[in-house]
Amino acid sequence: MTTEYSGGGDPRRSLELLWGVPDRPKRGPKPKLSAERIVRTAIALADAEGLDALSMRRIADELGVAPMSIYTYVPGKAELIDVMLDRAMAELTPADGVPGGWRARLEHIARDNWDLYHRHPWLLHVAAVRPPMGPAVFAKYEAELRAVDGIGLTDLEMDSVVALVTGFAESSARVSVNAAEAERRSGMTDAQWWEALAPLLEEIDTGGQDHPLSSRVGTAAGMEHNAAVAPAHAFEFGLARILDGIEVLVASRA
């Protein structure tokens, strides 16, 4: 799947779309379309078929309008992706009311992001190194910073902790989504794939004699997870270790 990049369109038009700056009023009947309707249609299409299926023509077909009418509201695909990303981020819920202190709040943020990427896998194919400066992106960052505000960290450390937790959630979700896609494309579960592969591996490296450590550990992990990779387990394990490390940092500031 092709990787798209946020921030690749006209900055002014992107900001106008992100913040809902209205067009000048026009005479005549009320238009059938709106930028928001186009964005929602694009998100539904990307959810169902991925970003590769997304085009202005395809969106027009879904809406039952001429392709050129889309450009009246959205100048191009680059600006559209910016708004799609921001609207998806609006689904995240602040951790303000989560009991259990900063650790529980960060855990909520990680899980919320993990769930978001599974609902909208196409987000993993948008490189948001220049994030859209929309209301949801601003609200997301503000809420994440509140989760670690007042616990003794510097501003730079607060930013780094948030980036660490959300970046881990994104990378873990990518492995999980890719694993599910591999199963869908191959028509084989991980267990079926391993059952087909194991006899062949034994012929190459009988009894793990050439690679005893990887054979022992890999067999133990494979038997535990019944799969070559276990994204959910890796997410849980990694998140706990990250929070442990942050706890050491916070304790050092006490």
Side-chain angles (χ1 to χ4, degrees), residues 86 156 178:
D86 190 72
L156 181 58
N178 286 345

Side-chain angles (χ1 to χ4, degrees), residues 14 21 30 35 61 137 145 152 235 247:
S14 284
V21 177
K30 185 177 180 179
D61 291 342
V137 168
L145 290 174
F235 173 70
E247 190 162 5

Side-chain angles (χ1 to χ4, degrees), residues 7-209:
D10 183 317
R12 178 176 293 277
R13 291 296 288 124
S14 284
L15 285 176
E16 289 174 349
L17 288 167
L18 286 162
W19 291 92
V21 177
D23 294 328
R24 294 187 182 91
K26 299 180 178 65
R27 295 182 179 181
K30 185 177 180 179
K32 297 180 181 179
L33 289 179
S34 67
E36 193 63 26
R37 186 181 173 197
I38 292 168
V39 171
R40 294 298 175 188
T41 301
I43 289 174
L45 179 59
D47 286 347
E49 301 183 31
L51 279 182
D52 284 347
L54 191 67
S55 68
M56 306 303 264
R57 177 174 293 278
R58 181 65 190 280
I59 295 168
D61 291 342
E62 294 290 322
L63 292 168
V65 299
M68 289 307 297
S69 64
I70 301 293
Y71 292 97
T72 303
Y73 302 89
V74 180
K77 186 176 179 180
E79 295 83 1
L80 176 61
I81 286 175
D82 282 352
V83 186
M84 290 171 62
L85 195 153
D86 190 72
R87 295 298 184 269
M89 293 300 172
E91 298 177 17
L92 294 168
T93 57
D96 297 355
V98 175
W102 66 263
R103 182 167 180 137
R105 293 192 294 269
L106 286 180
E107 184 175 345
H108 168 86
I109 289 169
R111 295 187 189 283
D112 208 20
N113 277 266
W114 164 277
D115 291 341
L116 180 71
Y117 289 120
H118 283 82
R119 288 196 302 274
H120 304 297
W122 55 269
L123 286 169
L124 297 168
H125 298 281
V126 179
V129 290
R130 295 177 178 174
M133 296 291 100
V137 168
F138 273 104
K140 174 182 183 292
Y141 185 48
E142 180 76 15
E144 290 166 349
L145 290 174
R146 285 199 303 269
V148 292
D149 189 27
I151 64 174
L153 303 181
T154 67
D155 287 352
L156 181 58
E157 288 169 343
M158 289 168 60
D159 175 79
S160 297
V161 163
V162 165
L164 174 63
V165 171
T166 56
F168 172 72
E170 179 182 350
S171 62
S172 298
R174 178 174 285 105
V175 175
S176 178
V177 167
N178 286 345
E181 180 65 12
E183 182 172 321
R184 186 189 70 80
R185 292 193 181 196
S186 67
M188 299 173 63
T189 65
D190 278 350
Q192 292 170 333
W193 173 78
W194 189 254
E195 287 173 3
L197 194 63
L200 302 176
L201 289 176
E202 289 181 359
E203 295 178 9
I204 297 172
D205 184 11
T206 305
Q209 294 176 3

